[in-house]
Amino acid sequence: MNTFKVLEIKESVFADNNRQADLLRESLKKEKLFLLNLMSSPGAGKTTTLTRTIAALKDKLRIGVMEADIDSDVDAKTIASTGVKVIQLHTGGMCHLDADMTKQGLEGLGAEGLDLAILENVGNLVCPAEFDTGAIKNAMILSVPEGDDKPLKYPLMFEVCDVLLVNKIDAMAMFDFDMEACVARARKINPNIKVMPISAKTGEGMDAWTDWLYNAVTGFQKENG
């Protein structure tokens, strides 16, 4: 009988990435650089939310942004117009960033002297949730048009995130979206997730989000000072 080795590739890949992510987090702590991993589906409003966030915080924090996409530089051009440091990351067809890619992105960005680096991850609710980027905190955006059932369909994304931004609340009247049901479903998966309804278009709810982020960054810096 032939004998052969069975290698669990997925488990091996994830274990190696988790080690790299832990090393990156330790490096970020030494540099007092807060890395936020921002995730969502395409069209949920990541870039619009990000521009609003930058406008509120760029006079208080030194900010840099890494825009990750399979292709194009559309979002990087938008962020560049805000005046903060930005770099475009092309994943070569991959639907996520892992810890090593994030480290390369930070090196390419030139993150020395920054207080806050934001990774706008590739748009989908599956792959980005599976790979630890080494971020200090994870946040996700769920837009009202996507529906309140997404925690049921993509539980891992809600499990790994510290903050859930429910965007496009200005369009609530046009969609059958149950906010209470969405929040209950998300908290059943992750009791500690912080939920913030926002409209990146009108600015409603954005103060709560930017206050949270500012306090998270400054608290992290004090803790590692």
Side-chain angles (χ1 to χ4, degrees), residues 102 125 150 157 159 188-189 195:
T102 303
L125 294 179
K150 291 302 173 287
M157 175 60 75
E159 181 180 335
K188 185 175 181 180
I189 297 165
V195 182

Side-chain angles (χ1 to χ4, degrees), residues 6 11 22 68 99 124 143 180 193 207 222:
V6 176
E11 181 178 347
D22 287 339
N124 74 84
S143 64
E180 289 186 6
I193 196 167
D207 286 348
K222 289 177 182 177

Side-chain angles (χ1 to χ4, degrees), residues 86-209:
V86 62
I87 189 172
Q88 180 71 56
L89 308 179
H90 285 165
T91 65
M94 298 186 72
C95 59
H96 68 276
L97 262 71
D98 61 21
D100 186 61
M101 295 175 190
T102 303
K103 181 181 177 182
Q104 292 180 54
L106 289 168
E107 291 170 352
L109 178 66
E112 300 84 2
L114 295 180
D115 300 306
L116 170 62
I118 302 174
L119 169 61
E120 184 177 340
N121 215 317
V122 180
N124 74 84
L125 294 179
V126 183
C127 303
E130 295 183 325
F131 287 85
D132 188 345
T133 61
I136 304 302
K137 295 291 183 181
N138 294 316
M140 68 165 292
I141 302 172
L142 173 67
S143 64
V144 165
E146 293 175 78
D148 53 52
D149 60 349
K150 291 302 173 287
L152 303 175
K153 295 183 176 182
Y154 305 100
L156 183 59
M157 175 60 75
F158 294 82
E159 181 180 335
V160 302
C161 283
D162 302 283
V163 177
L164 165 60
L165 300 174
V166 182
N167 190 26
K168 304 187 182 181
I169 58 172
D170 55 293
M172 285 279 286
M174 300 173 62
F175 295 93
D176 185 19
F177 186 95
D178 188 329
M179 183 68 75
E180 289 186 6
C182 180
V183 172
R185 289 163 179 167
R187 286 186 174 150
K188 185 175 181 180
I189 297 165
N190 180 356
N192 296 318
I193 196 167
K194 189 168 185 63
V195 182
M196 302 183 195
I198 66 167
S199 169
K201 180 179 180 180
T202 68
E204 184 180 355
M206 287 297 297
D207 286 348
W209 157 241

